[in-house]
Amino acid sequence: MAKILKSKYSSTGERCVDACLNYGMLRYVNEDGSPVNIEIPFDKYEEAISDFQDRIKEGIAQKDMNPKAILKRGTISYNQAKELAIDGKIKGLDFFEIDGSVECEHILGISGSIEYALSIWNGESKIEALEKAVIRSIKVYGEDFIYGITLDEDSDEVEYLKFAKSIFSIENLMDVELYKSKNYSIDNEIEENDLNPKHKIFKSLDLPLGFLGGLLGFMIVQIATNFGENISNEIVYLLLNAITMSIVAFIMIKSINFITKKYVKNSTSSIMELFDEELEKVSYENLLTEKEVKLILKNITKGEVTKLLMDMKGSVNKKVSSNTLVTKETKFVLDSRRVIILPSEYEIIQTLTLLLNEYKSKRSKDYSIKKI
């Protein structure tokens, strides 16, 4: 496989630049002397560019170098790549403890390789995963991705270069949705009646509350009428008792339910916010897919959301409890991830060609419509 592209993720921007230089000279160059494109973490890119430019100004690096032409911004953070490399589920993605670097000797680079793995882990087919991986790599390397592969002699390299340039510069050119970190929420997994205080546990309080309300209404009538002495008509007296008891019982039930509902809503919202924070954190740190997050939510609730909420409300430290629960289920999902063998160059070229033909067909149709 071609080695014109490299991926070297380091913990700081300065270390990313150190990996590219050797005594101020480029460490990696092509046969024609041009610099090898090096993908670095997206969260270290600005720092690396600034450090590279400072070295050129200070005369400790070649003056004719263009940092932005050499360093390519990946779509994965250093910590995300590090965690995946240590986990070892993507073959070819390696972590080197001696300097804390993450490397991937594959034409897709770190971003493209991880995009491929995430697609597979989300339950998509190999073809879908390959398409996403190729597009992701082009988004990082641009036209240089084409120079990094070995096309057939019959292939028109110019067409591939035009395609790569379009993919690199135009958002959503192809109908392919790349991985994007989302803020998932456990609230979406809870039915309304799970949060309703009348549901299950609180529903059983209506009868005793009604009885107490009726008793209170009866006592009010007795006091007001001197136990019926002030009313001569027995029927009126009985109706007054019945109506008063019903009204007071109704008010009692509604008032207590309103108070408990408000309390449950507030305390539930607090618990849900804790879960949301934990989900957001683990989703970002571990690059969880939509399918994996849904599995975590399902395992957390286990179909008994009300019981979960009541258990959480009884917890002394709710933040620690939610962290422990989410972390435990996340580990289960991460351990279940299958080992990913990255695609061969032949498979990548085949997929690239399919995408190119799809693009040309789409472009041809768009041209025909505009012409009409």
Side-chain angles (χ1 to χ4, degrees):
M1 188 169 284
K3 295 291 182 68
I4 196 169
L5 308 175
K6 293 189 74 68
S7 298
K8 294 184 76 70
Y9 278 28
S10 297
S11 57
T12 66
E14 182 182 1
R15 287 188 173 184
C16 289
V17 178
D18 286 338
C20 303
L21 301 177
N22 184 27
Y23 298 105
M25 304 290 286
L26 287 174
R27 189 184 299 272
Y28 306 104
V29 293
N30 298 310
E31 292 180 1
D32 60 1
S34 62
V36 167
N37 294 141
I38 301 177
E39 178 191 343
I40 63 174
F42 86 89
D43 58 329
K44 309 299 177 186
Y45 181 77
E46 299 296 342
E47 181 187 343
I49 293 295
S50 178
D51 182 78
F52 208 141
Q53 291 171 338
D54 288 342
R55 297 191 194 199
I56 294 173
K57 289 177 184 178
E58 293 168 7
I60 56 177
Q62 286 179 261
K63 290 187 177 181
D64 59 345
M65 291 189 292
N66 180 2
K68 292 186 177 180
I70 299 169
L71 303 179
K72 299 299 179 179
R73 189 173 202 161
T75 57
I76 307 297
S77 75
Y78 167 75
N79 285 332
Q80 289 171 329
K82 177 183 174 182
E83 289 302 315
L84 285 174
I86 291 175
D87 194 42
K89 291 294 178 68
I90 303 176
K91 295 302 179 184
L93 183 66
D94 301 309
F95 174 69
F96 297 92
E97 196 169 346
I98 189 170
D99 63 353
S101 65
V102 180
E103 296 186 26
C104 182
E105 292 292 340
H106 195 277
I107 193 64
L108 289 175
I110 287 180
S111 293
S113 297
I114 291 178
E115 184 74 42
Y116 177 79
L118 291 173
S119 181
I120 296 294
W121 289 332
N122 200 40
E124 294 164 359
S125 68
K126 186 174 181 178
I127 294 297
E128 292 173 310
L130 272 165
E131 289 180 348
K132 291 185 176 185
V134 168
I135 291 176
R136 177 65 82 190
S137 295
I138 292 175
K139 286 287 185 184
V140 172
Y141 292 108
E143 296 170 77
D144 291 311
F145 179 76
I146 304 302
Y147 292 123
I149 58 177
T150 308
L151 295 172
D152 295 335
E153 293 181 2
D154 298 332
S155 299
D156 187 350
E157 187 179 67
V158 175
E159 285 290 336
Y160 285 90
L161 290 171
K162 286 181 180 178
F163 172 66
K165 185 177 181 180
S166 298
I167 289 291
F168 182 76
S169 58
I170 301 174
E171 288 292 328
N172 303 319
L173 181 65
M174 305 295 288
D175 297 327
V176 177
E177 186 178 352
L178 300 180
Y179 179 85
K180 185 181 293 184
S181 183
K182 300 177 184 178
N183 293 334
Y184 297 97
S185 171
I186 197 172
D187 294 278
N188 297 331
E189 302 297 313
I190 299 174
E191 299 294 334
E192 181 63 27
N193 60 357
D194 286 318
L195 306 182
N196 191 329
K198 285 186 176 183
H199 183 62
K200 294 183 179 178
I201 297 172
F202 294 103
K203 184 69 177 175
S204 61
L205 295 177
D206 286 356
L207 186 59
L209 284 174
F211 177 78
L212 288 174
L215 182 60
L216 180 60
F218 177 76
M219 295 301 297
I220 291 173
V221 172
Q222 304 316 305
I223 294 171
T225 63
N226 192 23
F227 292 92
E229 292 294 330
N230 298 336
I231 299 177
S232 58
N233 192 317
E234 187 177 338
I235 295 176
V236 172
Y237 173 69
L238 292 173
L239 284 174
L240 183 62
N241 272 289
I243 293 171
T244 305
M245 289 172 67
S246 299
I247 292 173
V248 175
F250 177 78
I251 292 173
M252 178 77 80
I253 292 172
K254 287 296 181 182
S255 298
I256 298 300
N257 278 344
F258 175 78
I259 294 171
T260 54
K261 183 176 181 179
K262 195 165 186 179
Y263 167 76
V264 169
K265 184 177 180 181
N266 291 338
S267 59
T268 296
S269 297
S270 175
I271 292 171
M272 292 302 99
E273 285 174 6
L274 291 176
F275 272 111
D276 291 347
E277 288 176 8
E278 293 302 324
L279 278 171
E280 182 179 350
K281 185 176 73 173
V282 300
S283 295
Y284 177 79
E285 291 176 348
N286 300 285
L287 292 168
L288 295 176
T289 68
E290 185 176 359
K291 180 181 178 182
E292 290 172 335
V293 172
K294 286 183 177 180
L295 181 58
I296 289 172
L297 290 171
K298 182 180 178 182
N299 289 342
I300 287 175
T301 60
K302 292 182 173 64
E304 291 291 337
V305 180
T306 304
K307 183 178 183 302
L308 170 66
L309 295 176
M310 294 303 293
D311 289 343
M312 285 298 298
K313 286 170 190 173
S315 173
V316 176
N317 192 325
K318 296 177 178 58
K319 184 170 182 61
V320 172
S321 296
S322 61
N323 174 275
T324 302
L325 187 56
V326 173
T327 301
K328 175 186 173 184
E329 296 301 336
T330 300
K331 187 179 185 307
F332 169 77
V333 167
L334 294 178
D335 289 343
S336 301
R337 282 178 166 177
R338 59 183 285 192
V339 174
I340 300 297
I341 305 297
L342 295 174
S344 65
E345 185 177 15
Y346 174 73
E347 291 174 309
I348 291 170
I349 294 172
Q350 276 191 317
T351 303
L352 178 62
T353 303
L354 288 173
L355 288 169
L356 172 62
N357 291 334
E358 184 181 338
Y359 167 70
K360 289 166 68 176
S361 175
K362 181 180 179 181
R363 188 177 60 185
S364 177
K365 288 179 182 177
D366 289 344
Y367 175 76
S368 298
I369 292 171
K370 288 178 182 178
K371 189 175 181 181
I372 292 172

